[in-house]
Amino acid sequence: MSSRTYETHHGPRPAHHRPASAFVTLPGSDWLASASRFPRSVHALWAESPLSTVVLPCGTVFDVISAPALFGRRMLDRLWAPSGPGTGPVAAQRDRLLLFAAPGTAQRLPALLGWEEWGRGGRAAPPLLYFGTGDAVTVPPPCPAPEEAEPTPPASRWLVAPESRDPWLPGADVLLWACVRAARAGGVPKGSTG
């Protein structure tokens, strides 16, 4: 995908450097707004204030899996590897990554992880949060803030922004694959939040 702006910078970041943010395309904003019962209101808000975040319901257009930032980065490294399947939209919010997934993933993934004995038998597992039917998430603004307006990393930004009206969304099986591989490779300490 051309909008992949995931950072691979390691080490201390210079004070003037700001992480890159992706822009949501018009078809991508149509897709996001379609999750709302009032898509025209979402478009009107973004037309008036393109730097506004919006709370959207999950479960019909997308589910969201929230991972601690460090573990989420490990998941993305596996998903974006040459042999990986890739991702759908991905957002960063404070200390967590939000992976947009196919509807139903929030219900299926915990059961699949349980089958893999996620977090049992002394194996550490980071706390994943699952947002599906009946839940809502705050999505980043469609446009990143201008560099001069925000010298520190924004609290909410797109790493992979929606580009189409029908983006590919990973299902529970793909995210299970990424979780297991990231946990094996990363050695997550107990109680780690990423």
Side-chain angles (χ1 to χ4, degrees), residues 71 113 116 118 123 175-185:
F71 186 75
L113 288 170
E116 288 284 333
W118 191 253
R123 290 173 49 190
L175 293 179
L176 171 69
W177 176 88
C179 284
V180 169
R181 278 157 185 77
R184 285 180 188 158

Side-chain angles (χ1 to χ4, degrees), residues 38 103 112 116:
F38 306 102
L112 292 174
E116 288 284 333

Side-chain angles (χ1 to χ4, degrees), residues 64-132:
V64 172
I65 307 305
S66 174
L70 180 60
F71 186 75
R73 181 180 173 130
R74 289 180 186 146
M75 287 177 64
L76 292 179
D77 286 346
R78 276 34 177 208
L79 291 165
W80 291 345
S83 62
T87 65
V90 178
Q93 288 196 344
R94 302 197 191 286
D95 61 347
R96 298 191 73 86
L97 293 185
L98 306 179
L99 289 90
F100 285 69
T105 300
Q107 183 178 357
R108 277 191 67 217
L109 186 57
L112 292 174
L113 288 170
W115 183 73
E116 288 284 333
E117 298 184 359
W118 191 253
R120 291 191 204 146
R123 290 173 49 190
L128 297 178
L129 303 175
Y130 312 94
F131 298 95

Side-chain angles (χ1 to χ4, degrees), residues 29-168:
S29 67
D30 287 343
W31 174 73
L32 286 168
S34 73
S36 171
R37 288 182 44 198
F38 306 102
R40 287 184 183 167
S41 297
V42 172
H43 280 300
L45 174 66
W46 280 338
E48 180 72 24
S49 178
L51 301 178
S52 295
T53 59
V54 175
V55 177
L56 293 175
C58 298
T60 55
V61 175
F62 55 78
D63 281 3
V64 172
I65 307 305
S66 174
L70 180 60
F71 186 75
R73 181 180 173 130
R74 289 180 186 146
M75 287 177 64
L76 292 179
D77 286 346
R78 276 34 177 208
L79 291 165
W80 291 345
S83 62
T87 65
V90 178
Q93 288 196 344
R94 302 197 191 286
D95 61 347
R96 298 191 73 86
L97 293 185
L98 306 179
L99 289 90
F100 285 69
T105 300
Q107 183 178 357
R108 277 191 67 217
L109 186 57
L112 292 174
L113 288 170
W115 183 73
E116 288 284 333
E117 298 184 359
W118 191 253
R120 291 191 204 146
R123 290 173 49 190
L128 297 178
L129 303 175
Y130 312 94
F131 298 95
T133 303
D135 298 320
V137 294
T138 302
V139 299
C143 300
E147 287 199 30
E148 66 275 0
E150 194 171 355
T152 60
S156 181
R157 64 187 173 100
W158 290 103
L159 298 177
V160 178
E163 295 180 333
S164 71
R165 292 175 201 250
D166 188 22
W168 178 78

